[in-house]
């Protein structure tokens, strides 16, 4: 029978290292790492305006309610296709928009367009003060539909889109007014147009080229 070995003397000579300092240092490193990650994430959110919106121009006529206002759009923002910057920089897109939207408007309103009671306007110029994209399209739509186009109906006091306040400078004579905007994202600009023109008791019908939000499909 073997005699048990007494380990007490050996164990008493082992010195357990003090890990408190290492644990504290590790905690500081983890804290700094987390702070750095959080900061980097904030930077990405601040500079990343999301990938620029695109449109592949697949017809998608749609009635949307946004910001308390209904508007009709013909195309939908898409994952692939041309960016909005490319679209606005291409002069050939003006007649393409105009012909498509004029046909769309005619399909919606019908023969009543010939009753001399309709006109078309667009939203205020913000960056390009002379013949911007929406203005050029609206002017072309008016010619195709044979209705008046009123330029610079409203101006914006500020460049902010949310909570914008528009001043009315020209009031169309016609009772029924088509308000066209090339792209609609939040609907705030159209809502500001509605607020500005409401006191004049006009019938407003809002159209957009591109609905600048991806359509959500619910299953």
């Amino acid at each position: 029978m073997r005699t048990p070995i007494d380990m007490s003397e050996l164990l008493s000579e082992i010195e357990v290292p003090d890990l408190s300092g290492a644990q504290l240092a590790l905690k500081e490193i983890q804290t700094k790492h987390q702070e750095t990650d959080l900061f980097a994430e904030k930077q990405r959110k601040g500079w990343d305006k999301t990938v620029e919106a695109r449109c592949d121009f697949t017809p998608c006529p749609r009635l949307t309610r946004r910001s308390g206002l209904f508007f009709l759009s013909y195309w939908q923002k898409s994952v692939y296709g041309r960016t909005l910057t490319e679209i606005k920089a291409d002069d050939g897109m003006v007649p393409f928009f105009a012909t498509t939207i004029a046909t769309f408007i005619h399909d919606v309103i019908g023969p009543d367009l010939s009753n001399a009671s309709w006109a078309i306007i667009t939203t205020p110029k913000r960056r390009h003060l002379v013949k911007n994209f929406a203005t050029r399209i609206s002017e072309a739509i008016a010619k195709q539909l044979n209705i008046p186009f009123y330029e610079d109906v409203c101006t914006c006091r500020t460049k902010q889109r949310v909570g914008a306040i528009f001043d009315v400078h020209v009031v169309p004579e016609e009772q029924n007014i088509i308000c066209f905007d090339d792209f609609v994202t939040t609907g705030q600009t159209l809502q500001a147009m509605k607020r500005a023109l409401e006191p004049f008791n006009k019938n407003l019908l809002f159209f957009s080229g591109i609905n600048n939000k991806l359509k959500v499909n619910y299953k």
Side-chain angles (χ1 to χ4, degrees), residues 22-217:
Q23 290 175 341
L24 181 61
L26 178 61
K27 185 177 290 185
E28 290 178 355
I29 292 173
Q30 290 174 336
T31 301
K32 288 181 180 179
H33 180 67
Q34 290 173 352
E35 290 176 352
T36 302
D37 281 350
L38 288 173
F39 179 74
E41 184 66 24
K42 288 179 181 178
Q43 285 292 89
R44 283 195 297 273
K45 286 183 178 179
W47 287 99
D48 182 10
K49 304 298 184 182
T50 70
V51 178
E52 187 178 1
R54 295 176 178 271
C55 183
D56 60 10
F57 293 103
T58 299
C60 185
R62 186 180 179 193
L63 176 64
T64 301
R65 187 176 189 272
R66 194 170 295 152
S67 297
L69 175 144
F70 284 99
F71 67 93
L72 289 152
S73 58
Y74 192 76
W75 298 291
Q76 190 75 33
K77 175 182 176 181
S78 57
V79 177
Y80 303 103
R82 304 187 71 183
T83 66
L84 301 191
T85 299
E86 292 170 342
I87 293 167
K88 288 192 173 188
D90 184 354
D91 288 339
M93 295 303 295
V94 173
F96 172 70
F97 263 71
T99 299
T100 306
I101 300 302
T103 301
F104 184 36
I105 292 173
H106 189 274
D107 288 344
V108 172
I109 300 176
D112 194 58
L113 278 168
S114 61
N115 291 339
S117 63
W118 289 88
I120 185 169
I121 64 174
T122 188
T123 54
K125 302 181 180 77
R126 295 176 186 269
R127 296 178 183 176
H128 307 285
L129 298 182
V130 180
K131 301 297 181 185
N132 66 354
F133 193 61
T135 298
R136 293 165 65 196
I137 295 170
S138 300
E139 195 171 45
I141 290 173
K143 289 180 180 178
Q144 293 193 35
L145 295 178
N146 196 29
I147 62 175
F149 166 60
Y150 291 84
E151 190 173 354
D152 296 329
V153 166
C154 293
T155 57
C156 187
R157 296 182 189 177
T158 66
K159 292 185 178 181
Q160 296 177 350
R161 295 185 182 277
V162 178
I165 299 176
F166 293 169
D167 295 316
V168 179
H169 295 280
V170 179
V171 179
E173 297 177 1
E174 291 73 17
Q175 180 61 34
N176 304 304
I177 301 174
I178 298 164
C179 182
F180 171 77
D181 203 358
D182 45 8
F183 309 102
V184 173
T185 303
T186 64
Q188 290 286 329
T189 301
L190 297 184
Q191 183 60 252
M193 290 292 289
K194 181 182 178 182
R195 286 196 302 267
L197 292 167
E198 274 181 336
F200 300 96
N201 298 315
K202 300 292 184 178
N203 298 322
L204 299 172
L205 186 57
F206 297 92
F207 280 86
S208 167
I210 298 174
N211 191 329
N212 197 21
K213 279 193 175 182
L214 286 173
K215 184 177 180 180
V216 179
N217 294 318

